[in-house]
Amino acid sequence: MFESGLVLTVVGAAFAAVFGGLGSCIGVGTAGTKAAGVLAERPEVFGKLLLITALPGSQGVYGLLVAILILMKANLLGGPAADVSFEAGALLLFAGVIMGLSGLFSGWFQGKVAAGAVGAIGRDESVSGKGLVLAVIIETYAIFGLLAAFFIWLSVEVGAPVFGA
Amino acid sequence: MAKVLLQKIRLTGLRKHYKLLMQELHRKGVMEIVETPELIEHSLQRHEDHFGVFDLARIDFAIRLLSPYALPGKKLESLLSGGKLVCEESEAKNRLKEFSPRAEALLDSCEKSEEILVKTENEQQKIERRRALLVPYKSLLVGWGSALETDQTITWIGSLAGSNVGECIEKLALISHLVDIKILSQASDRMFVRVTALKSLEEEISRLFSEYSFSEVEWSCEESDEEGRSVSALLKDLNQQEMACKKRHEEASVQLRGMASEVENFKILYDYNSWRKRKNDLQYKIFQSEYLFAFEAWMPEKAVSSLVEWTENIFVGEVVLDRIEAKEGEEAPTLLQNGAFSKPFEMITEMYGIPGAKDIDPTPALSPFFFIFFGLCLSDVGYGGLLTLIMGIALIFGKFPSNLRNSFRAMLYCGIATIIGGVLLGGYFGMEASKAPGFMTTVTETAGVSTVLFKGQVLNPMEGDGPMTFLALALGLGMIQLLFGVFLEIVRLWKNGQKLDALCDPGAWLFFLIALVGFALAAPLGLSAALMGKLAIAGAVILVLTQGRSQKNWFLKPVMGVLGLYNITAYLSDILSYSRIMALGLATGVIGMAMNLTASVLGGLMPHPVLGFIVAVLILLFGHSLNFFLSLLGAFVHSGRLQFIEFFGKFYEGSGKKFSPFMRAKKYLFFNSSS
């Protein structure tokens, strides 16, 4: 079954997109719920809340980015698929896993910090910049995950498409 | 540049000039009046409260209430002015004079109409609930609320729910032929029935009903005159009530719509009243006696002499302005002043915190870095152009207060940076160079391999050496910023008179770090590795010798020195943090590319080329808006974060208080002429 690395490649892409997206869902969900509550009392701070609430959305984007890169490497975005060895497939899978897990956890916890910041902004608008900074600190680890995945991706070599295979 | 020197002053004068002076100071907005307890203590308690006159909450309420009824034709205008009323000051004054006498009556009538709106809406809801309850029983012949029991019989009225309603009815019929079942109406999941039976069967039927979860209707009347009337009569009444209710609601709306043209006048009234309130509140900070007044304030040192001249001219020596010393431990508020390029970036500094007494203003230092980082993070000519365009329009055509204009100008600069970054990294709405029109690209051939790049593009972050070069660029910029931060700490400590600290801490570190960087990059920079190595070791020795100097215990001194050296890891992690610039720059391009790909693939799948074109355009619009928004947010917060955590961490505290002058704050007005 694993003679070709193509299956592993696709699993890797899926892993990055799904878990990156999951992290964003949880994060934006946590922050968004809180923001909606604050809005009921102070609709005028909507703009500031929107920024903070959208912050954990980036993990999903990074996950999608890695997924696209992986699919691109295997030439799965149109045209015949490239000849991906088992080893190359496994490496691409790991790139996806790194991105997926770092996205999942950083998005999750960023959402919690963002929700806290949302509550603080509800009480005092002037802390919005500081709240934003606190939430951004966590994103570093999603970005490091993205970079690690990117450099693994960069190192993987695949063969030319196998025609008629 | 940087922080403006503020001077503390005291104004003393004859009380008869108080009103005029305050009015003019309020208009000029040059000083922050501070509370001086020693003065106030001796003040005569002549405070008057006029809160009835300044009923701002009521006016604000009226503005919010009436705004939705205002003319819809002015949407664009109000968007460009942020909902403010743009007018001349003289016009506002005239309108205020005309409007003030009418205001009280209008406020009352606003409140009354709003009360009617709320009341009728509640009533309407109540009517609808009642109707929903009654309608299923429309065919019932018994009067509502009349007795359900006779000597011999008992009646149930209610509904059965669920899938086994038919079963229940069948079982009921099987109990006895003396059970009368009438199905009144049926909804999708519910059956409304009347069941009448002999009293002797009551127990059996009750058991059956509880088994099939029969729910009895609320068989009571809210008003006593409803009792015994038929359902259709009750429904007719409800309709009449509803008509009356709607009519009252409509009348109130019409009345509000009629007053909608007064919104502008209310806005003028609000701002003028808020100024009066501000002046009124001030009397608690000001010493007043029968004939004199006195107060203290901070103001820019440069403006003092012209204000002295002005008071002498107007009040001929009857109001005196003195320069005074700040009290021990009293910190002056901070007013920032920067050049045209740095000024808008004060917004970034303010997000973190205003410089305190011992801080230097970091704005000029951070603005070029923020500009570069933002440009590299977003790095797309298309997105940058869009941002520049939007901000340009807002700045040219919009009427916004100055702090908002500054933010827009900062974003305009960021847009320009993005265009530059986009040219250098070849970002044009995520387009691939090989698919771009020929006039935009150049083909270079090295060792038989031809590569297509955009004109002006210096590196391709996706291929070959590109990623490593980009990463090196990001980390290199980070290193420069960090070293600069350490340098600024030397400047700061030196200025504050802590010269020894300046040399031993940041000074030694800067020497050590530069030597270390020189050692690491000796080959590419053409330096002698051996010399740089020796310098680095010398730097390390200096650090070991100086880092423990605050320890009293002589044995601990060298230990603390060695531990201090461990701080090098913090610098390492700080530098690595700058790799985010590369990651974000990459993300913008790749996601944009993915959007283009999705559009072309899905567009190609459509059965008709025109349909395909429409689908592709829709996907492109949606996808690029999303990417634009998320990448913009990412570029902004991460460029900011690098300033706040990595850069500010080296030299900046930001614990100051912003200079907030006594001035006319405008919530709803924007004056055209600057007179």
Side-chain angles (χ1 to χ4, degrees):
Chain A
M1 180 188 174
F2 287 135
E3 276 168 35
S4 152
L6 220 48
V7 176
L8 294 181
T9 308
V10 175
V11 173
F15 204 102
V18 167
F19 285 98
L22 202 57
S24 280
C25 287
I26 298 173
V28 177
T30 314
T33 321
K34 183 87 186 241
V38 170
L39 271 187
E41 293 216 348
R42 304 196 56 197
E44 68 275 12
V45 293
F46 176 72
K48 287 174 176 159
L49 296 188
L50 183 72
L51 283 190
I52 294 240
T53 308
L55 260 195
S58 48
Q59 280 81 353
V61 177
Y62 303 149
L64 177 69
L65 177 107
V66 169
I68 290 166
L69 287 175
I70 292 175
L71 295 177
M72 222 165 68
K73 180 74 94 178
N75 209 23
L76 284 168
L77 299 171
D83 180 19
V84 182
S85 69
F86 176 77
E87 196 192 347
L91 286 175
L92 291 174
L93 169 62
F94 276 122
V97 169
I98 289 169
M99 184 63 246
L101 290 185
S102 60
L104 171 62
F105 286 101
S106 71
W108 185 348
F109 288 95
Q110 191 172 37
K112 290 187 182 191
V113 179
V118 163
I121 294 171
R123 288 197 199 100
D124 178 7
E125 255 181 88
S126 65
V127 299
S128 66
K130 288 160 190 145
L132 206 64
V133 174
L134 285 183
V136 171
I137 296 176
I138 303 179
E139 186 148 330
T140 308
Y141 306 101
I143 290 179
F144 286 174
L146 170 62
L147 281 173
F150 179 73
F151 283 108
I152 293 177
W153 174 84
L154 208 60
S155 71
V156 174
E157 301 260 343
V158 296
V162 190
F163 290 95
Chain B
M1 294 281 254
K3 284 201 296 189
V4 175
L5 184 63
L6 294 180
Q7 171 70 46
K8 198 164 183 197
I9 55 155
R10 177 181 291 148
L11 268 162
T12 321
L14 289 186
R15 211 183 131 87
K16 62 179 180 185
H17 297 309
Y18 177 75
K19 210 173 161 194
L20 178 64
L21 178 77
M22 277 307 166
Q23 200 174 328
E24 288 306 311
L25 288 180
H26 198 204
R27 184 192 303 276
K28 284 173 187 282
V30 286
M31 57 174 67
E32 179 175 339
I33 297 174
V34 289
E35 206 170 317
T36 324
E38 309 90 271
L39 279 179
I40 310 296
E41 230 174 272
H42 307 289
S43 185
L44 279 180
Q45 297 294 318
R46 296 176 54 119
H47 305 149
E48 302 148 42
D49 275 322
H50 302 289
F51 285 110
V53 185
F54 311 127
D55 208 340
L56 297 172
R58 281 180 80 200
I59 303 174
D60 209 26
F61 168 79
I63 292 172
R64 284 187 203 196
L65 182 69
L66 294 177
S67 290
Y69 295 97
L71 294 174
K74 295 184 170 176
K75 279 258 163 64
L76 183 70
E77 195 181 306
S78 100
L79 186 72
L80 281 173
S81 63
K84 284 187 162 58
L85 173 66
V86 181
C87 63
E88 308 277 332
E89 188 175 347
S90 54
E91 186 198 339
K93 264 189 182 157
N94 288 337
R95 286 174 77 166
L96 185 73
K97 211 175 271 172
E98 182 271 328
F99 181 66
S100 294
R102 298 189 289 129
E104 189 57 36
L106 277 168
L107 276 177
D108 277 345
S109 123
C110 271
E111 278 161 5
K112 265 186 203 132
S113 298
E114 198 263 352
E115 208 180 310
I116 295 175
L117 285 185
V118 172
K119 226 161 128 187
T120 50
E121 274 158 24
N122 284 341
E123 217 168 297
Q124 177 78 25
Q125 279 176 6
K126 217 168 114 192
I127 290 172
E128 267 156 28
R129 274 202 303 272
R130 186 79 179 147
R131 182 186 288 142
L133 180 78
L134 289 175
V135 161
Y137 301 98
K138 206 173 172 186
S139 56
L140 197 65
L141 294 174
V142 261
W144 198 264
S146 55
L148 291 176
E149 269 180 68
T150 64
D151 286 350
Q152 301 293 323
T153 66
I154 180 159
T155 300
W156 288 267
I157 295 170
S159 64
L160 285 159
S163 54
N164 42 15
V165 172
E167 206 179 301
C168 177
I169 303 283
E170 270 170 38
K171 282 193 181 167
L172 263 178
L174 282 178
I175 289 172
S176 160
H177 66 281
L178 287 175
V179 178
D180 179 38
I181 307 163
K182 169 126 199 227
I183 295 171
L184 299 166
S185 65
Q186 241 170 325
S188 58
D189 60 336
R190 215 158 249 283
M191 185 182 271
F192 299 87
V193 293
R194 174 188 56 76
V195 176
T196 308
L198 279 183
K199 265 193 173 164
S200 57
L201 299 171
E202 180 178 357
E203 208 171 296
E204 206 173 335
I205 293 176
S206 292
R207 206 178 315 124
L208 189 73
F209 275 163
S210 70
E211 191 181 322
Y212 286 93
S213 53
F214 172 83
S215 66
E216 244 175 299
V217 75
E218 205 180 304
W219 189 249
S220 60
C221 294
E222 281 166 9
E223 316 278 340
S224 57
D225 60 333
E226 286 182 355
E227 207 164 298
R229 300 183 59 197
S230 72
V231 174
S232 49
L234 288 179
L235 281 172
K236 211 176 273 174
D237 278 4
L238 276 184
N239 280 347
Q240 269 172 5
Q241 278 176 32
E242 189 181 22
M243 294 258 283
C245 175
K246 275 193 172 149
K247 202 175 154 211
R248 274 188 296 150
H249 189 274
E250 185 56 34
E251 278 167 8
S253 305
V254 166
Q255 192 153 23
L256 284 177
R257 201 166 299 133
M259 287 188 282
S261 56
E262 307 283 4
V263 167
E264 296 186 345
N265 290 331
F266 274 124
K267 285 182 175 175
I268 297 173
L269 184 68
Y270 183 95
D271 274 6
Y272 272 87
N273 269 9
S274 74
W275 300 341
R276 288 173 64 192
K277 179 167 166 21
R278 180 96 202 258
K279 277 184 272 183
N280 184 62
D281 290 350
L282 257 192
Q283 54 184 341
Y284 301 102
K285 290 186 178 177
I286 288 171
F287 163 81
Q288 296 182 65
S289 72
E290 199 69 40
Y291 301 109
L292 289 174
F293 72 86
F295 62 88
E296 291 179 0
W298 286 98
M299 66 181 294
E301 205 270 333
K302 275 185 194 154
V304 174
S305 52
S306 71
L307 194 70
V308 169
E309 207 171 293
W310 177 80
T311 44
E312 271 168 13
N313 278 341
I314 304 270
F315 303 107
V316 284
E318 293 183 344
V319 172
V320 183
L321 192 154
D322 297 310
R323 290 163 196 257
I324 57 172
E325 290 281 314
K327 273 176 291 210
E328 186 110 352
E330 187 185 11
E331 243 187 53
T334 307
L335 174 64
L336 299 181
Q337 189 180 36
N338 282 293
F341 177 72
S342 294
K343 177 94 191 149
F345 292 101
E346 282 173 8
M347 164 185 97
I348 312 286
T349 306
E350 280 174 28
M351 267 177 87
Y352 184 84
I354 293 286
K358 291 193 164 174
D359 282 321
I360 49 175
D361 178 12
T363 315
L366 76 79
S367 26
F369 286 109
F370 191 91
F371 181 82
I372 294 172
F373 295 167
F374 190 99
L376 288 176
C377 284
L378 198 51
S379 67
D380 189 293
V381 177
Y383 297 160
L386 208 59
L387 185 61
T388 314
L389 192 72
I390 296 172
M391 291 304 147
I393 289 173
L395 281 173
I396 294 171
F397 298 106
K399 313 259 185 197
F400 295 102
S402 63
N403 58 344
L404 213 53
R405 285 183 75 84
N406 265 334
S407 305
F408 289 163
R409 199 166 287 134
M411 293 319 288
L412 179 83
Y413 290 159
C414 287
I416 294 168
T418 307
I419 295 178
I420 299 171
V423 169
L424 295 178
L425 298 174
Y428 295 83
F429 284 119
M431 205 162 26
E432 284 169 82
S434 54
K435 291 177 184 162
F439 68 88
M440 289 171 73
T441 57
T442 53
V443 182
T444 49
E445 224 160 293
T446 39
V449 186
S450 65
T451 45
V452 188
L453 288 178
F454 284 102
K455 280 182 184 149
Q457 185 176 358
V458 292
L459 71 94
N460 179 354
M462 291 289 295
E463 266 164 41
D465 292 339
M468 288 318 286
T469 318
F470 195 1
L471 186 65
L473 176 70
L475 298 184
L477 282 170
M479 212 164 61
I480 293 171
Q481 192 180 26
L482 287 179
L483 291 178
F484 189 48
V486 178
F487 170 72
L488 288 177
E489 175 70 356
I490 301 180
V491 174
R492 186 185 78 90
L493 287 173
W494 195 271
K495 267 190 181 170
N496 291 335
Q498 297 164 276
K499 294 186 180 171
L500 180 69
D501 290 335
L503 289 179
C504 289
D505 289 336
W509 270 108
L510 192 63
F511 176 76
F512 176 53
L513 289 172
I514 289 178
L516 212 57
V517 170
F519 178 66
L521 301 178
L525 291 179
L527 299 168
S528 150
L531 176 66
M532 284 296 150
K534 275 176 202 151
L535 284 177
I537 290 168
V541 170
I542 297 173
L543 281 173
V544 170
L545 290 178
T546 58
Q547 290 300 288
R549 70 182 184 286
S550 61
Q551 276 295 331
K552 291 238 163 67
N553 187 327
W554 275 93
F555 289 105
L556 277 179
K557 274 182 196 270
V559 178
M560 292 313 286
V562 174
L563 283 180
L565 207 54
Y566 187 69
N567 254 338
I568 189 74
T569 55
Y571 285 94
L572 196 66
S573 77
D574 279 350
I575 288 184
L576 283 179
S577 184
Y578 286 81
S579 61
R580 74 187 65 233
I581 296 173
M582 179 226 176
L584 289 168
L586 206 66
T588 317
V590 177
I591 298 288
M593 204 171 76
M595 295 304 173
N596 295 343
L597 194 73
T598 316
S600 78
V601 170
L602 286 185
L605 286 177
M606 291 297 133
H608 193 276
V610 175
L611 188 63
F613 179 74
I614 294 171
V615 168
V617 167
L618 287 179
I619 293 176
L620 284 179
L621 276 180
F622 172 77
H624 281 294
S625 318
L626 188 77
N627 191 21
F628 177 58
F629 174 71
L630 281 178
S631 300
L632 187 71
L633 177 66
F636 184 81
V637 296
H638 286 287
S639 307
R641 176 227 140 99
L642 287 175
Q643 316 301 326
F644 298 153
I645 296 174
E646 275 75 18
F647 190 45
F648 284 2
K650 301 283 164 287
F651 69 99
Y652 185 64
E653 203 171 301
S655 56
K657 199 170 124 301
K658 195 176 176 181
F659 177 67
S660 76
F662 170 59
M663 62 187 285
R664 305 200 295 188
K666 301 190 195 78
K667 183 171 175 187
Y668 288 117
L669 296 183
F670 184 93
F671 287 152
N672 254 334
S673 51
S674 54
S675 64

